[in-house]
Amino acid sequence: MRSDVSSETKALLVLSMLRGVGSAALRKIGTVKGLGQMSLNDLWFHLPRKLAENIGPQELRAAADAAEKQIDLSAASGTRILSSADEDYPRLLADTRDDPQLLFVKGHLAQTPELSVAVIGTREPTNHGKVIAQRLTGFFVGEGWSVVSGLAIGCDAIAHEAALDSGGHTVAVMAHGLQTIAPSRHKRLAERILESGGALVTEYRFGQEPMATNFVKRDRIQAGLARGVVMVQSDVTGGSLHASRAAIDYGRWLAVPFPTDQDIRNNEPKVQGNLLLADGLLREKADLLRCGPSDLKNLLILRSRDDYQAMLRPAVSSKVDDPPTQGRLL
């Protein structure tokens, strides 16, 4: 196997190729000392007994070959494979209990990844939503933050483009292997991200095509890579709520811009989530975010530009030790 992948990551990559070995098993095995120096037989010994019983030498060799292929594909495309055992694995992501044990990174992560914000939202923003996505992204770039999003149509693409146009750093989290770009219309945007020094990131190996079930996990990774999430616009059932719920679940802040009077008068469906989180009953907000009422202390409603500074104050932690005390905290 290639030497540009750490020995610990190689070991975890091999094990990930075995049927039944998921993140939970990899997370436990990843803490074993000397993992990178173990033989295939030694790695087998550290598998959960129920899994190991169904895995023999032939399966181990096939897993090693499959891992070798992934490393070759990664090297050919300029992609790094990181694991939670590597020093440059994103610390904010490692602080979550959902952190993928293997991460494929094409391009460059932020020089200060702890200063990252996820800017996400509906695929069909109103005119005000487009303006707010650009304005908030420009604000964070001006503060030296990296902007994380999902390369999707709508608010995601607007955030990436605004970051690039402002000379900032941006990371696109993908729901598939890096052999492709989805949606295909954003291939040029992905190229711009890489050309500008940004990164494409995924937990999915080469060859994995987009699947509907992958997007929820992708959304949680967006939140995991960031100190907080800005949900630009969403209805009450939108996919943007996955990352928003994850932010609250991880103890990070969630910022929600208040809709304009025009969008409220027009009863725009894509701002109903924002409206509920701003002015709904406490229980309604907690139900939408699937959290306890006490967790709403990390919910910030942005009613004007005066509230933007509050997003810069939380401590860098998987749990917000010092949540914003000004602005519209609910």
Side-chain angles (χ1 to χ4, degrees), residues 27-322:
R27 186 175 295 109
K28 184 175 181 180
I29 296 170
T31 63
V32 175
K33 291 184 178 180
L35 178 67
Q37 286 69 52
M38 291 183 183
S39 66
L40 289 177
N41 288 336
D42 290 336
L43 292 175
W44 175 89
F45 180 79
H46 286 282
L47 289 171
R49 289 301 89 197
K50 290 185 179 180
L51 288 177
E53 290 172 357
N54 299 315
I55 296 172
Q58 184 175 349
E59 286 80 11
L60 284 172
R61 286 194 295 272
D65 290 343
E68 179 81 45
K69 184 176 180 180
Q70 287 294 314
I71 292 174
D72 288 343
L73 288 169
S74 297
S77 68
T79 298
R80 290 182 298 154
I81 306 176
L82 301 176
S83 75
S84 54
D86 296 320
E87 289 186 2
D88 48 352
Y89 185 93
R91 184 167 70 88
L92 285 173
L93 188 59
D95 284 346
T96 73
R97 58 183 172 275
D98 292 329
D99 59 311
Q101 293 305 291
L102 293 165
L103 204 62
F104 294 78
V105 179
K106 188 171 185 177
H108 303 278
L109 296 172
Q111 291 185 353
T112 310
E114 292 78 14
L115 295 180
S116 296
V117 59
V119 180
I120 51 96
T122 177
R123 293 170 180 263
E124 301 172 333
T126 67
N127 288 334
H128 177 250
K130 296 174 184 178
V131 170
I132 288 298
Q134 293 169 337
R135 184 179 298 164
L136 283 163
T137 298
F139 167 76
F140 279 104
V141 169
E143 296 291 335
W145 287 45
S146 175
V147 175
V148 178
S149 201
L151 206 70
I153 297 166
C155 290
D156 287 21
I158 293 169
H160 288 306
E161 289 168 347
L164 295 172
D165 292 343
S166 300
H169 182 274
T170 187
V171 173
V173 185
M174 321 299 286
H176 51 75
L178 294 179
Q179 80 285 346
T180 189
I181 296 294
S184 58
R185 71 173 71 176
H186 287 163
K187 286 183 178 179
R188 179 54 192 150
L189 177 55
E191 291 172 355
R192 286 187 65 202
I193 290 172
L194 296 175
E195 290 167 358
S196 72
L200 308 180
V201 174
T202 185
E203 67 173 304
Y204 297 102
R205 63 181 68 125
F206 280 84
Q208 175 64 61
E209 295 296 328
M211 296 174 57
T213 53
N214 295 355
F215 286 90
V216 175
K217 295 182 69 178
R218 184 278 304 271
D219 292 346
R220 292 186 71 86
I221 292 177
Q222 290 179 83
L225 285 168
R227 274 177 56 175
V229 169
V230 177
M231 187 185 79
V232 178
Q233 285 184 332
S234 175
D235 58 25
V236 295
T237 60
S240 301
L241 290 168
H242 297 308
S244 301
R245 290 165 180 153
I248 295 295
D249 187 31
Y250 298 152
R252 299 174 188 178
W253 52 262
L254 169 64
V256 179
F258 192 78
T260 63
D261 291 341
Q262 181 178 353
D263 285 347
I264 294 173
R265 284 195 305 270
N266 292 341
N267 199 29
E268 292 283 356
K270 297 304 182 181
V271 304
Q272 297 308 308
N274 301 58
L275 200 57
L276 188 152
L277 290 174
D279 291 343
L281 298 175
L282 192 68
R283 175 46 57 189
E284 291 175 326
K285 300 174 187 179
D287 286 347
L288 185 62
L289 293 176
R290 298 178 184 173
C291 67
S294 63
D295 294 322
L296 295 175
K297 65 182 180 296
N298 291 329
L299 174 63
L300 175 64
I301 305 303
L302 307 177
R303 298 180 185 268
S304 74
R305 296 192 190 192
D306 293 339
D307 294 328
Y308 287 10
Q309 287 292 328
M311 294 183 287
L312 306 179
R313 297 195 185 107
V316 181
S317 170
S318 60
K319 290 294 182 182
V320 177
D321 301 318
D322 182 23

